[in-house]
Amino acid sequence: MSENNAIMQGGSVAESCVLQISDLHKSYGSHPVLEGVSFSIPRGKIVGLLGPNGCGKSTIMKMISGLLPADNGSILIDGHLPGLVSKSIVSYLPERTYLNDWMKVSEVLQFFSDFYADFDLERAQQMLADLHLSPNTRLKTMSKGTKEKVQLILVMSRRAQLYLLDEPIGGVDPAAREYILNTILKNFLITTHLIQDVEAIFDQVLFLNQGKIVIDGEVDEIRQQHGKSIDRLFREVFKC
């Protein structure tokens, strides 16, 4: 199917949703990872994609970002199929560090500024200052948590249409964590195991288990329906 046809068929949905996923399937060899996953993210929402290790969360992130192809199903990002256009409007933070250790923070910021037309260098510099990070520091001298702060700054300083954060605050100290969470505004899809710390910012949550969405809804409605927090419900559903 061409991108234009996909946009025409999903036009009304694409207008109201920044992300639309329909009947998504993905297997690695004979091992199925995603089996008919469907969900959407309305514009202006912060969504938590939650589930145990190995349930397919990172796979979904990589497929949205265009790093992995789907076996079947469709993905529309702001009305576009994954490709050159979608990559220019999606800001993706993978779970693992990807920065070159020999670079200074200032050099990384300049690299992103040159590479991404939507990168806001002033915003990045302000976030560095807010988190007390020096632009002259080389990455190889930083702790894992400090590198994670730099990566978050890079991702969140783009003026993107959709932000994908895969376990964004695992190694970040509590003070920086609060600042980062207060900076997250809209159009975010976030995976995390630190649900208790993050659920206050979620508008919608998705529980993913064994390749399928088992819970999908507005946070307030889910809390009211089950009479408990998202963190508590997660622990009961996944027995953890």
Side-chain angles (χ1 to χ4, degrees):
M1 181 187 296
S2 70
E3 180 168 339
N4 287 337
N5 286 339
I7 295 171
M8 290 175 64
Q9 290 185 18
S12 61
V13 173
E15 290 172 5
S16 62
C17 294
V18 68
L19 175 67
Q20 180 73 21
I21 290 179
S22 301
D23 196 29
L24 200 62
H25 291 258
K26 182 66 179 180
S27 296
Y28 295 117
S30 60
H31 176 60
V33 178
L34 303 176
E35 300 185 80
V37 168
S38 298
F39 67 89
S40 61
I41 298 181
R43 296 182 187 278
K45 300 294 185 180
I46 302 173
V47 179
L49 179 60
L50 311 175
N53 290 332
C55 70
K57 302 187 301 295
S58 294
T59 295
I60 290 176
M61 292 284 200
K62 291 175 183 177
M63 294 170 75
I64 297 170
S65 65
L67 298 176
L68 281 177
D71 294 338
N72 287 293
S74 66
I75 299 174
L76 285 176
I77 306 109
D78 196 33
H80 301 279
L81 297 172
L84 289 177
V85 174
S86 72
K87 287 181 179 180
S88 70
I89 59 177
V90 172
S91 191
Y92 171 49
L93 176 72
E95 186 177 5
R96 295 185 179 180
T97 301
Y98 59 89
L99 302 176
N100 290 317
D101 272 353
W102 58 268
M103 299 180 79
K104 293 181 180 179
V105 173
S106 59
E107 293 171 331
V108 177
L109 263 60
Q110 190 58 55
F111 174 79
F112 265 63
S113 183
D114 293 340
F115 195 81
Y116 293 107
D118 63 357
F119 188 76
D120 188 335
L121 183 58
E122 290 185 5
R123 175 177 169 82
Q125 291 170 336
Q126 183 59 57
M127 292 183 73
L128 279 178
D130 291 344
L131 290 172
H132 309 292
L133 299 177
S134 170
N136 297 317
T137 304
R138 291 196 182 275
L139 297 175
K140 66 181 179 181
T141 67
M142 292 180 169
S143 67
K144 180 177 181 292
T146 305
K147 287 180 184 178
E148 288 183 3
K149 292 179 190 177
V150 174
Q151 288 189 158
L152 274 165
I153 289 171
L154 293 170
V155 169
M156 295 173 65
S157 294
R158 289 184 57 194
R159 300 297 182 182
Q161 297 298 312
L162 175 64
Y163 299 84
L164 308 175
L165 306 183
D166 195 353
E167 297 291 347
I169 57 172
V172 176
D173 59 86
R177 185 178 302 171
E178 182 177 1
Y179 170 82
I180 290 163
L181 294 178
N182 289 335
T183 306
I184 294 174
L185 297 176
K186 61 181 181 178
N187 296 353
F188 278 79
L189 180 63
I190 302 171
T191 72
T192 182
H193 288 97
L194 302 174
I195 300 170
Q196 186 175 17
D197 294 338
V198 181
E199 73 167 272
I201 71 168
F202 288 149
D203 300 301
Q204 174 185 345
V205 291
L206 308 158
F207 282 14
L208 183 67
N209 193 28
Q210 297 182 348
K212 298 179 180 179
I213 299 291
V214 294
I215 292 179
D216 177 2
E218 296 286 328
V219 166
D220 290 341
E221 293 178 0
I222 292 174
R223 288 196 190 109
Q224 184 175 10
Q225 178 184 354
H226 295 274
K228 59 195 68 174
S229 69
I230 301 301
D231 180 60
R232 177 70 178 275
L233 180 61
F234 180 89
R235 293 175 186 275
E236 291 184 3
V237 170
F238 298 108
K239 304 294 189 296
C240 58

